[in-house]
Amino acid sequence: LMGHELADLELDMSSPCFPDVVTIWSGVSMYVRQQLLKEEPKAVAIKGLGTFHIKKCHFFERGTMITLRRPVFSLSRTVAQIRDLQHASVPVPGEIEKVSYKKTHLNVPYSEKVVQHCVQETLDFFYFILKKKEDADFVLKDVGTIAIRGTYVTMAFCEDFLQSLNKSTGMIEKLLTNKWVVSDKEVTLFPSRFGRVHRFPQFEITVVPRRVSLRDEETSSAVKTCLSSTGKGGNHRIREW
């Protein structure tokens, strides 16, 4: 793990960024959201976590062609390899915009150095939890939640974000009903074999339903049904267009 042993990793509670770690990650999330909501959105990557892009979906309804804008998340290979997470490389069209800590700094009252240190410290602790085979939720404010249960990964999006992308409540209902995306409201129902998950970037432990089986391959069908496009080997469970 980035040049040092996971077993020796300790979260530095006295770090200058720790009291406002949520504020800093809110700035990162805001930057991602702003990029994705542009008229011509670019793919945007959070190094060491994953990449987001917008996919336009077309379908006919009552003789009229309707276009949806569906957010897609691809888990970073760095995260996937830590615990052999179910992961597929999702093709990302066009250029990828990496989150710039200088740009993020415009949204938070901290220097670029402090922001970068805080982001990396959070990710290091996130990797540590995954290495221990614990379950985790990584919340990107006003975008969605990356939920990891066993070896399964689900990207669940905020309904407000989906609404901002599509400007139509009806379209949001269609996305959710057909499971083309998953609402972050469902994350609290995803079971864990421990009955708890570590919540980032808040560094909290929250209670979730306990999964009866201890084997990852028997993960609840509720989680399998809600898998995002990070399904193993590219076998996506959300319809591609």
Side-chain angles (χ1 to χ4, degrees):
L1 175 65
M2 304 299 182
H4 60 273
E5 295 295 328
L6 279 166
D8 295 332
L9 179 63
E10 293 183 1
L11 182 63
D12 183 5
M13 303 296 282
S14 63
S15 166
C17 79
F18 187 80
D20 283 335
V21 63
V22 175
T23 299
I24 288 174
W25 273 97
S26 292
V28 173
S29 301
M30 183 183 299
Y31 179 77
V32 171
R33 180 184 169 101
Q34 289 172 344
Q35 298 305 307
L36 296 178
L37 289 179
K38 287 182 176 180
E39 190 66 29
E40 295 295 331
K42 287 184 178 181
V44 56
I46 301 175
K47 185 179 179 181
L49 189 60
T51 302
F52 294 86
H53 74 276
I54 301 301
K55 187 176 182 67
K56 288 186 177 181
C57 310
H58 307 283
F59 68 96
F60 283 91
E61 186 172 83
R62 298 176 183 176
T64 302
M65 188 177 76
I66 298 175
T67 301
L68 289 173
R69 301 176 79 197
R70 176 168 71 84
V72 179
F73 174 72
S74 179
L75 188 71
S76 165
R77 192 175 300 276
T78 299
V79 182
Q81 290 178 340
I82 288 174
R83 197 166 81 197
D84 193 26
L85 297 174
Q86 303 287 331
H87 166 74
S89 296
V90 179
V92 177
E95 298 179 0
I96 298 177
E97 179 87 7
K98 292 185 179 180
V99 172
S100 167
Y101 298 122
K102 285 185 178 180
K103 293 177 181 177
T104 303
H105 172 54
L106 298 177
N107 300 316
V108 295
Y110 299 103
S111 68
E112 176 186 358
K113 183 177 180 180
V114 169
V115 170
Q116 186 170 2
H117 172 74
C118 183
V119 168
Q120 189 57 58
E121 185 178 67
T122 307
L123 290 176
D124 283 348
F125 192 55
F126 179 57
Y127 301 158
F128 176 59
I129 292 301
L130 296 183
K131 185 70 173 180
K132 290 175 61 181
K133 300 188 183 300
E134 296 263 359
D135 292 334
D137 290 341
F138 206 113
V139 180
L140 296 173
K141 184 180 179 183
D142 297 327
V143 176
T145 300
I146 305 164
I148 298 176
R149 303 290 187 272
T151 61
Y152 290 91
V153 182
T154 303
M155 181 66 226
F157 291 97
C158 298
E159 292 185 24
D160 176 69
F161 173 59
L162 298 174
Q163 177 75 40
S164 297
L165 274 175
N166 290 281
K167 314 297 184 185
S168 168
T169 302
M171 293 301 97
I172 305 310
E173 292 177 354
K174 187 173 294 293
L175 282 168
L176 296 173
T177 300
N178 289 283
K179 294 297 181 183
W180 296 333
V181 295
V182 179
S183 169
D184 64 345
K185 294 179 181 178
E186 299 181 49
V187 171
T188 57
L189 302 178
F190 294 167
S192 165
R193 61 175 176 166
F194 305 104
R196 67 175 188 273
V197 297
H198 293 263
R199 189 176 178 86
F200 291 86
Q202 294 88 344
F203 298 104
E204 296 175 347
I205 295 179
T206 60
V207 177
V208 298
R210 181 182 292 275
R211 197 174 82 227
V212 175
S213 172
L214 295 180
R215 294 190 299 169
D216 286 339
E217 59 268 28
E218 294 181 3
T219 300
S220 166
S221 60
V223 177
K224 290 183 179 180
T225 300
C226 294
L227 286 177
S228 70
S229 54
T230 52
K232 186 175 183 180
N235 183 22
H236 301 170
R237 295 177 182 270
I238 293 180
R239 184 178 301 177
E240 296 292 348
W241 299 84

